[in-house]
Amino acid sequence: MDPDTGELVHLDVTGGTATITLDSPRNRNALSAQLRRELSAHLDAAVDDEAVRVIVLTHTGPVFCSGMDLRESRGAGSSDQGVNEFPAILTALWYSDKPVVARLAGPARAGGVGLVSACDIAVAAREATFAFSEVRIGVVPAVISATVLPRLLPRAAHELMLTGETFDADRAAAVGLINSAVDADGLDAEVARYTAMLARGGPNALAATKAMLRRDRGEQLQQDLEAMLALSSEFFASEEGQEGMAAFAEKRAPSWVPEG
């Protein structure tokens, strides 16, 4: 967080690249109300800036994004869940006329994986890990499925979303979630390699190519997000979801986990 402005998300434009940085390491860059608001605003600004050719989404601290801020979700009804604002962020990334590159030096969980999948290209350090941890706290990876499922191999989607198992960056690349897993000291060079290639494309051609690539499913994205949002917010507010979040906060097993 910027100590002067209190800002949790920063935007810097240099040489045609807009770098959007999640900077809330104290809560593992969780998708709090403030972070969501600032991320949306900076995405809009980057897309509207004619000088920007490529957008990079990155982070400070050891974690890329841990998902929704569960402290804000506990005790809230389905209409007040923070996840209600998340489809707009995924839509902004997915439909951006400008290519978006995700840069991960650390883990992504739940909604954080949704951010990664909504980007056009994703590069991660091999130390980064991923997990669809929703089922383990009694909620459903519903909203993020709209962007994740077009990326993941079907068998991997069933395995990883149902088990909540943590997997590494090499596995993420193998199942289609990210493009490249590299050693940590080569992460910035790999991101720079992609941004340099993307900047060589004509702006209008890139926008049209993105539209072409998403035409099979992308035009249904809004309908998918609306349906999945209803499912997600229902589970966040449900008895099971609230118990799962309470157990997570209290560092205990949820009531449904068998003893022994």
Side-chain angles (χ1 to χ4, degrees):
M1 181 177 71
D2 188 317
D4 296 324
T5 66
E7 189 178 61
L8 299 182
V9 184
H10 314 307
L11 172 63
D12 176 71
V13 179
T14 304
T17 297
T19 301
I20 297 175
T21 305
L22 307 182
D23 184 22
S24 184
R26 63 177 178 78
N27 70 342
R28 304 168 75 235
N29 287 319
L31 293 160
S32 64
Q34 180 182 347
L35 188 143
R36 293 192 307 271
R37 182 173 62 251
E38 293 176 4
L39 176 55
S40 292
H42 288 322
L43 278 170
D44 289 344
V47 169
D48 292 341
D49 187 343
E50 292 184 0
V52 171
R53 301 292 306 284
V54 183
I55 299 170
V56 174
L57 179 62
T58 186
H59 64 104
T60 64
V63 177
F64 173 74
C65 178
S66 59
M68 298 306 300
D69 190 328
L70 298 183
R71 291 175 302 177
E72 295 181 352
S73 296
R74 292 178 64 185
S78 61
S79 62
D80 298 318
Q81 291 292 338
V83 72
N84 292 325
E85 300 171 2
F86 199 37
I89 295 173
L90 297 181
T91 299
L93 291 167
W94 188 269
Y95 284 105
S96 164
D97 285 342
K98 297 164 184 180
V100 186
V101 179
R103 174 196 175 277
L104 291 84
R109 296 289 185 270
V113 186
L115 291 178
V116 173
S117 64
C119 296
D120 299 290
I121 292 172
V123 180
R126 287 197 168 89
E127 292 82 357
T129 59
F130 303 81
F132 300 101
S133 49
E134 287 90 343
V135 293
R136 295 195 177 188
I137 61 167
V139 299
V140 178
V143 169
I144 67 169
S145 73
T147 57
V148 170
L149 293 182
R151 311 294 191 198
L152 279 187
L153 296 174
R155 281 289 187 188
H158 281 248
E159 171 194 348
L160 297 171
M161 286 190 168
L162 289 172
T163 65
E165 181 182 28
T166 299
F167 54 104
D168 62 20
D170 286 317
R171 179 82 193 282
V175 299
L177 182 63
I178 66 173
N179 297 84
S180 181
V182 298
D183 293 336
D185 58 5
L187 179 60
D188 289 333
E190 183 74 341
V191 171
R193 185 176 75 88
Y194 276 113
T195 57
M197 289 191 291
L198 291 166
R200 294 177 67 87
N204 294 331
L206 286 169
T209 300
K210 283 196 62 170
M212 177 195 70
L213 289 168
R214 66 177 179 248
R215 73 188 187 280
D216 289 338
R217 179 184 174 85
E219 302 310 323
Q220 301 174 14
L221 180 67
Q222 196 60 46
Q223 296 94 310
D224 286 350
L225 283 169
E226 289 173 3
M228 292 301 97
L229 174 57
L231 177 61
S232 185
S233 58
E234 175 186 343
F235 268 83
F236 265 97
S238 71
E239 181 178 347
E240 184 172 284
Q242 291 293 311
E243 161 62 11
M245 286 183 276
F248 179 82
E250 296 163 13
K251 295 181 172 55
R252 59 173 174 81
S255 60
W256 63 77
V257 176
E259 296 181 2

